Amino acid sequence: MCGVFGTVRYEGQAAPDIYTGLITLQHRAHDSAGMATFDIGTDSCYMHKGMGEVPIVFEKKKLEELRGSL
């Protein structure tokens, strides 16, 4: 079972909001977590995924690398 969460920010980065949403959904899947963001300004997609719960997969440094408002 998995959960999906998405957000659009008009200012700032989307990754912190997505992180909070994934924490809320964590009860649905404890095996792994993943996140993809999109930066409109550079037309670039960033992704990170890994095995484990959300706080283990997404350390602060990884969240900072996931740039973009989508």
Side-chain angles (χ1 to χ4, degrees), residues 1-16:
M1 173 110 19
C2 68
V4 176
F5 181 86
T7 187
V8 175
R9 297 277 318 246
Y10 294 102
E11 293 182 8
Q13 305 298 320

Side-chain angles (χ1 to χ4, degrees), residues 5-52:
F5 181 86
T7 187
V8 175
R9 297 277 318 246
Y10 294 102
E11 293 182 8
Q13 305 298 320
D17 292 342
I18 297 170
Y19 178 87
T20 302
L22 291 176
I23 288 286
T24 303
L25 295 173
Q26 185 72 71
H27 70 280
R28 300 181 65 91
H30 294 275
D31 297 334
S32 61
M35 184 186 308
T37 59
F38 185 76
D39 186 344
I40 295 172
T42 62
D43 200 30
S44 299
C45 185
Y46 302 91
M47 183 179 72
H48 179 71
K49 61 184 177 178
M51 298 302 290

